[in-house]
Amino acid sequence: MAVDIQRDCFGLYCGRTEQIINGTKSYSSCGVCPRGQRTDLYKICQPCKGYPERYDWLYLGFMAMLPLILHWFFIEWYSGKKSSSALFQHITALIECSVAAIVTLLVSDPVGSLDIHSCRVLMLSDWYTMLYNPSPDYITTIHCTHEAVYPLYTIVFIYYAFCLVLMMLLRPLLVKKIACGLGKSDRFKSIYAALYFFPILTVLQAVGGGLLYYAFPYIILVLSLVTLAVYMSASEVDTFKDLLVRKKRLIVLFSHWLLHAYGIISISKLNNVYQDLPLLALVPAPALFYLLTAKYTEPSRILAEGANGR
């Protein structure tokens, strides 16, 4: 019976659902699986009752960090030294994203639990089932598009929606009360920036979710290395003493170290703890290399020449 079902059902992601009619189990026609299900080896739609693997949680953590990092960047960019309200806005952004993450997990299946049921990611095409709708007679297309990686694809959209709603409820009131050091045209710019980058993040997840799933550890490492080098160069940090002058520089350094560690853990997946944990000793290496070689490259001189147009 299972062999016949597999032969008659076309496409990678088309399947049949089990039905009980008059006490007899039968199968529906070949088509799309309901949400929260995906096909098994016999082309039968099965509920997603598994749990995310460690790598899946790391991916969700990366997607959850993106809005928070962008919030912090634009808050710092538009506040800078003009106002002492930046710290309160940073904390508010952290609360917004944390609450959004918790609420997203609570409303996901199983409802009311911080854990989620999921289907296992087997290959890249699982993220793009809309590209694999079969056409048996080259005329009629059988639409079998569904979330084969449930809920790793849609849960990110839900999280972004909660982040946006919480930001619009909390941030304007806070900024209006404490951002006295900023002009009326500047105090809401970090919020306006979020109204731009949230749609961008949504499109990025919709189009490149599968690519991000496999590439995000390397994206974290590359971006954290580049941004650390740019920051230390722009801040004219040439020695260890320059790092200790301001607490803000140490906070930025430790933040980058956390990102380095997250990227290393995501790549290794900590499958072998005794073998993978020592890799975390490499976290300070980029900063140490920069400080040891800064006297040879003299970034402050390069910045000064660039300002003079040489």
Side-chain angles (χ1 to χ4, degrees), residues 246-290:
R246 297 180 182 176
K247 294 180 180 180
K248 180 180 177 181
R249 293 177 178 177
L250 290 176
I251 294 175
V252 173
L253 178 63
F254 290 141
S255 299
H256 280 84
W257 282 0
L258 289 176
L259 287 177
H260 295 337
Y262 195 91
I264 292 174
I265 292 174
S266 300
I267 292 176
S268 64
K269 303 179 186 178
L270 293 182
N271 292 327
N272 188 334
V273 177
Y274 297 103
Q275 179 180 342
D276 298 334
L277 277 182
L279 294 175
L280 296 179
L282 298 173
V283 168
L288 294 176
F289 178 81
Y290 179 92

Side-chain angles (χ1 to χ4, degrees), residues 6 8-15 30 39 43 132-136 142 144:
Q6 187 177 16
D8 295 337
C9 206
F10 298 96
L12 284 176
Y13 300 101
C14 295
C30 187
T39 57
K43 297 293 184 179
Y132 295 89
N133 292 324
S135 299
I142 302 177
C144 299

